[in-house]
Amino acid sequence: MEDAGFFAPTGNNLPSKNLIVVQNRDNLDKLAETTPYMKWLKEAPAAIVISGIPEASKYWLQDSSIAAAFVWLKAVKVGLGSAFGAVYH
């Protein structure tokens, strides 16, 4: 699944994002508390965290967003449920 995000296009073809698979229940619960809009993570079996690297490219936000869209499309294609949550700054 993370391959879809890894191979998503990026501005200037620079490595401006990290993709982290989270399956640990404690970590998922902590992520759920980062914003009031991601409480659903308390019931999710896993998450893919995409973090931008501003030092790598001025397009890090767009690159991370495109990667999230590619992951979402792959999840739908393989029949998985998907949701999006954002934490900025």
Side-chain angles (χ1 to χ4, degrees), residues 8-82:
T10 61
N12 297 332
N13 198 31
L14 294 170
S16 60
K17 64 192 177 306
N18 291 310
L19 287 92
I20 306 158
V21 177
V22 180
Q23 294 177 298
N24 177 278
R25 178 78 267 145
D26 290 337
N27 290 340
L28 289 166
D29 291 344
K30 287 176 187 173
L31 285 170
E33 299 301 323
T34 60
T35 174
Y37 307 107
M38 293 194 315
K39 299 296 183 193
W40 46 265
L41 271 173
K42 289 195 174 274
E43 298 179 27
I48 298 175
V49 174
I50 302 169
S51 63
I53 307 170
E55 299 80 21
S57 172
K58 65 181 179 181
Y59 301 114
W60 67 271
L61 182 58
Q62 294 89 334
D63 296 346
S64 298
S65 299
I66 292 168
F70 275 52
V71 169
W72 185 300
L73 291 170
K74 179 67 173 196
V76 169
K77 182 177 181 178
V78 300
L80 296 175
S82 184

